[in-house]
Amino acid sequence: MASFNTLNLESGRGMMNRSCSWAVARVSQVSLHHLGFLAGTALVADGIIGLMFGLGMGLDTIQWVQEFIIVAFGMVVILVESSDRAALPCCGGSRGTVGGVTTKLRQILYHYAKFLFVPYGRGAYYVYCSMLLFAQYPDHLDVIIGLFMLALSVVMVVVGCRSDSKLKLLKESFNDASDIK
């Protein structure tokens, strides 16, 4: 009888380990770009909801400006996090104009705000977006999205630190230009 209970307990642990490893494998497939795209979409949706329902609740001018800024910042996050493959004109079908517009906007954004295309800068931008959301404190949706953006910004800064240290080690491993070839 004791061996039966021990067998059931051990097989239960094995099942739990397999299910946990499956969950970790699924989560690891989600990239930071996907999470950033989700955050940008949430920003745009939150801003639009705030503008639509704010009419009946008496938004003042400052709150209207904040909601418009949240929508604009969300669109910037979506543009930054969209993949280059999705922005190619060939992926837009025969029209090709949607990809061309997206590519052009990403090029303009890269020209004027290069910091958004490195993890450190993106993390700082996400902190700024989350502080803007926290400024609208009584709204629970803004606080939840702000917490998500803040957590994502911490991850971006950590990724930036790790990649920076790895790049420094790689740079130190080369003696001269002949090592690169």
Side-chain angles (χ1 to χ4, degrees), residues 33-160:
H33 288 291
H34 291 108
L35 293 175
F37 192 84
L38 177 68
T41 306
L43 279 174
V44 170
D46 179 47
I48 290 173
I49 288 170
L51 287 171
M52 286 175 34
F53 293 115
L55 289 173
M57 296 181 189
L59 278 180
D60 61 354
T61 308
I62 293 175
Q63 291 170 333
W64 268 93
V65 170
Q66 281 180 338
E67 295 296 339
F68 277 118
I69 289 173
I70 286 173
V71 170
F73 282 8
M75 288 181 182
V76 167
V77 170
I78 288 173
L79 271 175
V80 168
E81 296 295 348
S82 66
S83 67
D84 291 327
R85 188 173 148 231
L88 293 175
C90 65
C91 299
S94 61
R95 297 181 307 256
T97 56
V98 175
V101 170
T102 308
T103 303
K104 184 66 175 167
L105 289 174
R106 280 178 58 94
Q107 288 172 348
I108 291 169
L109 204 57
Y110 182 76
H111 180 73
Y112 289 107
K114 288 182 184 174
F115 66 93
L116 291 175
F117 292 89
V118 294
Y120 279 137
R122 202 175 301 150
Y125 183 73
Y126 288 172
V127 167
Y128 186 77
C129 289
S130 62
M131 292 303 133
L132 183 64
L133 289 167
F134 289 146
Q136 300 179 344
Y137 167 67
D139 189 7
H140 298 298
L141 184 61
D142 286 330
V143 172
I144 291 169
I145 296 172
L147 287 172
F148 177 68
M149 293 286 294
L150 193 62
L152 192 57
S153 69
V154 168
V155 170
M156 289 288 186
V157 169
V158 168
V159 166

